[in-house]
Amino acid sequence: MAADRARLLYVTDLAYPARGRRYCDEDIHLTARLREDFDLALCHPLDAAALMEGFDAVVVRNSGPVLGYQEAYDAFRERATARGTRVYNPLHGRGDMAGKQYLLDLTAAGYPVIPTVDRAEDLHLLPEAARYAVKPKAGADSIGLRFLAYEELAGLPYGELLVQPRVDFRYEVSFYFVDDRFQYALYAPDPERRWVLEPYEPTAEDLAFARRFVDWNTLDHGIQRVDACRAPGGELLLVELEDLNPYLSLDRVPEQVRDGFADAMVDSLRAFLAAS
C-alpha cells in the first residue's frame, strides 16, 4: 500500500515520571513532524489494543516500562499478531522487547557484552568483581536492580534473575539508529549521572561495535538504542539493546540532528508501510 497519509496510532505515556527525563517533550516534537506526512492519533499504552483497529500501523514510542501494565501489553501483542496489525518497532525484536535473554545468548556467542549468567552453577564463569549486579530478566529502567557480594549470590531464586559483574566503567555511551542507519551518539561523562548526556563523536571502531548488535537483531525497520560502557581496559561492552521503546534524549542533540532524526523516522515509516 502507499504510505501517503497513512493513519498512525502513536502510543505514548505523556505523564510517565522518568527520572531526569521528560518523555512528553520528545514525543511532542516527533508527533509534530510525523503529522506533516501522516494522519496521527495519540493514545496511552493501556488503550492501544482497543483503539488499534482502523489504523494502518501502531507506533510504540515512550510508553514506559511494560512491567507497569504487563497484562495490557501482552493483550496488545496478542491482538496485534492475530489481526496482522503493523507495529513499529516490529514485534519480533530480539533485544529488550523480548526480555533480557539476549544478554545470555550474546554472552554464550562470545559477543562483547557484560558477562551474564542466570544459574547458580554458572557463577564461576563470571570474572571476579567486588560486587555483582542482580536484575530481573523482565526488568526495565533499573527496576529490581541490586548489587551483592559474591557470597550472597548462591541463595538467590534463579530462573528469572540475571547476574553480572559490576563493571568499574569509565563512562556509558549510547548509539541511536533508525533501521540500520546510525543517527547520533551520546555519552554520560559522569558514571553517577546516567542521564546527564553530551554529544559523543564515535570512532569507526565504536560504530562497528554498535552495528554488530543492530545486525544481530535483524529488524529491517525501527528505532534502536545500543547502550554500552567503556570498560577499564578501553573496550566497549554492551549494557542493553533497546528495541521496544527506547528513549532518544533528543533534547541533548543539536536542532539539526534532532530534525534529521525525525526525517529519518518518517522515511523509515514510509518504507515500513510500503513493505508490509
Side-chain angles (χ1 to χ4, degrees), residues 126-238:
L126 297 178
E128 185 176 346
R131 306 284 282 180
Y132 293 81
V134 179
K135 62 184 72 173
K137 282 186 180 180
D141 213 19
S142 298
I143 295 172
L145 174 65
R146 293 179 288 164
F147 294 102
L148 302 176
Y150 187 84
E151 56 269 20
E152 299 176 277
L153 301 178
L156 293 174
Y158 287 95
E160 297 303 320
L161 293 176
L162 299 176
V163 179
Q164 301 173 317
R166 184 171 188 175
V167 177
D168 186 21
F169 57 84
R170 289 155 50 188
Y171 56 80
E172 289 189 76
V173 57
S174 296
F175 306 88
Y176 302 78
F177 288 80
V178 175
D179 299 348
D180 62 350
R181 292 172 291 169
F182 171 72
Q183 301 297 313
Y184 58 92
L186 295 168
Y187 82 122
D190 183 352
E192 300 301 320
R193 305 172 72 192
R194 171 67 180 96
W195 295 106
V196 181
L197 298 170
E198 298 179 9
Y200 177 87
E201 190 63 39
T203 65
E205 186 177 4
D206 292 340
L207 286 181
F209 164 90
R211 287 190 184 280
R212 286 188 67 183
F213 298 103
V214 171
D215 292 344
W216 175 85
N217 203 14
T218 66
L219 281 180
D220 291 333
H221 302 286
I223 297 169
Q224 297 182 68
R225 193 184 79 216
V226 180
D227 293 339
C229 65
R230 183 72 69 183
E235 73 277 19
L236 286 177
L237 296 174
L238 182 76

Side-chain angles (χ1 to χ4, degrees), residues 42-110:
L42 276 65
C43 82
H44 189 277
L46 290 177
D47 303 321
L51 296 177
M52 70 172 74
E53 190 171 351
F55 290 89
D56 298 305
V58 178
V59 178
V60 178
R61 279 305 309 130
N62 287 320
S63 53
V66 297
L67 283 176
Y69 54 96
Q70 189 68 55
E71 185 175 339
Y73 178 69
D74 291 343
F76 162 73
R77 285 182 61 101
E78 181 178 348
R79 185 168 185 183
T81 300
R83 296 184 64 253
T85 300
R86 303 174 181 89
V87 180
Y88 182 99
N89 289 350
L91 296 175
H92 61 270
R94 302 166 70 189
D96 267 7
M97 186 184 300
K100 303 290 186 183
Q101 177 64 37
Y102 69 93
L103 293 171
L104 297 164
D105 297 339
L106 291 169
T107 296

Side-chain angles (χ1 to χ4, degrees), residues 5 10 24-38 40 42 259 262-263 266:
R5 306 315 305 178
Y10 191 102
C24 57
D25 290 348
E26 185 163 285
D27 281 342
I28 289 168
H29 168 75
L30 288 175
T31 53
R33 173 63 184 89
L34 292 178
R35 282 194 180 95
E36 297 177 15
D37 289 75
F38 305 101
L40 196 71
L42 276 65
D259 291 344
D263 290 342
V266 169

